[in-house]
Amino acid sequence: MKINEKLLKSLSEINYLRAENVERYRVIIRYFYEEYEKIHYWMHKEDVYETMIQTGLFPDYTLELCQSDLGQLTEWKNLIAMQDTTKVLTIEEFKNRKYRYQLSDYTIEIERMMIRLENLEVEGASLEPSLLERIHKRICEIKEISQKDISEVSIWWNDLNNDFIRLNRNYQD
């Protein structure tokens, strides 16, 4: 085994998955990720706040709480903050720093993994009675299928084989 610095360093980027406010952090990160997938990389706190309110999950959510959440996610390196100077007209506006936020590369990969894990959960790890019934039905068709043309036999065989593969995968899970 090759051990290097990256293996030994702690990952602050995963803190949002086990933090006290995990529900809010997960929704915020998923929002950023979905926008990232639409090639909309930078978001303002107002965008995040509006999304959080629209979910209906956080009725007492405030703009100040949103700013605090974004600050915490930035501290954990999930988000990259950049001062937005595009609409600054005065020195006072510049001092009142408005930020845009973007997902970090690590967080993008973590969120991709989370989506894969969520989908694994949907597939489940149990033997499906319908799958066993389908295999039984296909095996009972063996005499009839032997009279069919080669293309129908091929389809039948592929379906049966795929069902066995799926059965084996579910059994291993």
Side-chain angles (χ1 to χ4, degrees):
M1 175 193 309
K2 185 176 181 180
I3 297 177
N4 58 31
E5 283 182 36
K6 287 184 180 182
L7 176 65
L8 300 176
K9 82 170 193 158
S10 72
L11 292 174
S12 63
E13 290 90 348
I14 62 169
N15 287 345
Y16 80 98
L17 296 172
R18 56 184 174 85
E20 184 178 327
N21 299 314
V22 66
E23 298 89 3
R24 292 196 323 249
Y25 297 142
R26 293 285 315 274
V27 171
I28 291 169
I29 294 296
R30 184 59 57 90
Y31 167 65
F32 271 91
Y33 181 78
E34 288 177 356
E35 291 300 310
Y36 168 84
E37 290 288 299
K38 298 174 191 172
I39 311 174
H40 183 217
Y41 302 123
W42 293 97
M43 253 67 68
H44 294 93
K45 74 177 175 187
E46 293 80 10
D47 301 325
V48 176
Y49 173 73
E50 185 178 314
T51 298
M52 295 294 281
I53 294 299
Q54 285 175 353
T55 66
L57 298 171
F58 312 102
D60 299 330
Y61 201 67
T62 64
L63 203 53
E64 292 77 24
L65 193 53
C66 181
Q67 181 64 53
S68 173
D69 288 346
L70 293 172
Q72 185 61 65
L73 290 166
T74 301
E75 185 178 318
W76 286 331
K77 301 176 190 164
N78 298 108
L79 297 176
I80 299 165
M82 178 182 283
Q83 188 172 1
D84 187 5
T85 57
T86 57
K87 298 177 185 174
V88 174
L89 301 175
T90 66
I91 293 175
E92 189 62 34
E93 288 176 343
F94 185 79
K95 288 180 182 177
N96 288 335
R97 299 183 183 206
K98 287 190 123 187
Y99 289 94
R100 309 183 294 166
Y101 299 89
Q102 168 183 1
L103 282 179
S104 69
D105 291 339
Y106 267 49
T107 304
I108 291 167
E109 291 304 317
I110 291 166
E111 201 58 22
R112 283 183 181 145
M113 179 189 70
M114 294 306 299
I115 290 169
R116 282 194 309 273
L117 289 173
E118 289 166 12
N119 290 330
L120 275 178
E121 187 175 278
V122 170
E123 288 177 12
S126 63
L127 297 177
E128 302 172 36
S130 61
L131 181 59
L132 293 170
E133 290 169 8
R134 201 165 51 240
I135 290 171
H136 179 262
K137 180 183 171 210
R138 296 224 189 272
I139 291 173
C140 289
E141 294 172 348
I142 203 161
K143 285 186 181 180
E144 297 163 19
I145 204 69
S146 65
Q147 309 300 318
K148 305 285 181 172
D149 65 58
I150 193 73
S151 63
E152 288 182 72
V153 172
S154 177
I155 292 170
W156 174 86
W157 175 252
N158 286 334
D159 290 344
L160 180 62
N161 194 35
N162 288 335
D163 286 344
F164 269 112
I165 290 169
R166 188 169 171 199
L167 178 67
N168 188 43
R169 188 179 335 118
N170 287 352
Y171 166 75
Q172 289 171 348
D173 289 347

